[in-house]
Amino acid sequence: MTTPVVVLVGPPGAGKSTIGALLAQRLGTGYRDTDADIEKTAGKPIPEIFIDEGEPHFRELERQAVRAAVAGHAGVLSLGGGAIMDDGTRALLAGLPVVFLDVELADAVRRVGLDAPRPLLAVNPRQRWRELMEARRPLYTEVARATVATGGRTPDEVADAVLAALDLAPAPRDRTQDTTQ
């Protein structure tokens, strides 16, 4: 069974997609986002799934996407912000190199924007985000091998911190492409 080299968890606006893609590039591996997997499977964006079929249906699709990705992806994996709410998902993550990208509200709002199509943040996004974090923070820390604060850091700095936290070395660069030798 292949397992991910890094699993990123955190709330909306933590930078999971950006950091995940950077990490995959640095580690010379693939990147996978379970939210993208869900959208591909459903044939529509996540907000439409919430509207058309409801949150329970979305959460079932999410459980399936996480299970498939954890079992079949050996690269960097980003999970949707609420994936850790499921007991089975948390059990699947036990022992894996999970990193919680911890973000402050102001940074999350700046990154996500208050008008972004986030179903669970649709009404009073700042208050709702705080409530989500209050409920989810203990679960993020439960599954995480490491926590990396993203506040005041560039994506490159966050990626460096994730690599350091997991004691991972970047893939060697192709020296034939390096003109600064």
Side-chain angles (χ1 to χ4, degrees), residues 10-49:
K16 297 179 298 287
S17 298
T18 300
I19 304 308
L22 267 176
L23 287 169
Q25 180 183 27
R26 289 187 183 185
L27 293 169
T29 190
Y31 171 69
R32 188 166 174 179
D33 181 331
T34 57
D35 280 351
D37 291 350
I38 293 164
E39 289 183 341
K40 185 176 178 185
T41 298
K44 59 178 129 182
I46 289 171
E48 287 184 26
I49 299 169

Side-chain angles (χ1 to χ4, degrees), residues 34-35 37-67 82-83 86 89 119-120:
T34 57
D35 280 351
D37 291 350
I38 293 164
E39 289 183 341
K40 185 176 178 185
T41 298
K44 59 178 129 182
I46 289 171
E48 287 184 26
I49 299 169
F50 268 76
I51 291 166
D52 296 345
E53 286 92 19
E55 185 177 358
H57 178 73
F58 168 76
R59 295 296 174 201
E60 179 53 35
L61 293 176
E62 185 173 55
R63 277 188 287 281
Q64 293 169 12
V66 170
R67 205 169 27 251
D86 181 71
T89 294
L120 294 181

Side-chain angles (χ1 to χ4, degrees), residues 120-135:
L120 294 181
L121 299 178
V123 178
N124 193 351
R126 283 185 172 89
Q127 179 60 34
R128 187 65 182 125
W129 193 91
R130 281 189 197 96
E131 292 166 359
L132 287 175
M133 277 306 291
E134 190 175 301

Side-chain angles (χ1 to χ4, degrees), residues 63-110:
R63 277 188 287 281
Q64 293 169 12
V66 170
R67 205 169 27 251
V70 166
H73 182 68
V76 177
L77 176 63
S78 292
L79 303 188
I84 47 80
M85 299 296 287
D86 181 71
D87 294 339
T89 294
R90 290 195 310 279
L92 271 178
L93 297 176
L96 295 180
V98 178
V99 176
F100 165 32
L101 295 182
D102 196 4
V103 62
E104 296 299 319
L105 173 62
D107 289 331
V109 166
R110 184 174 41 77

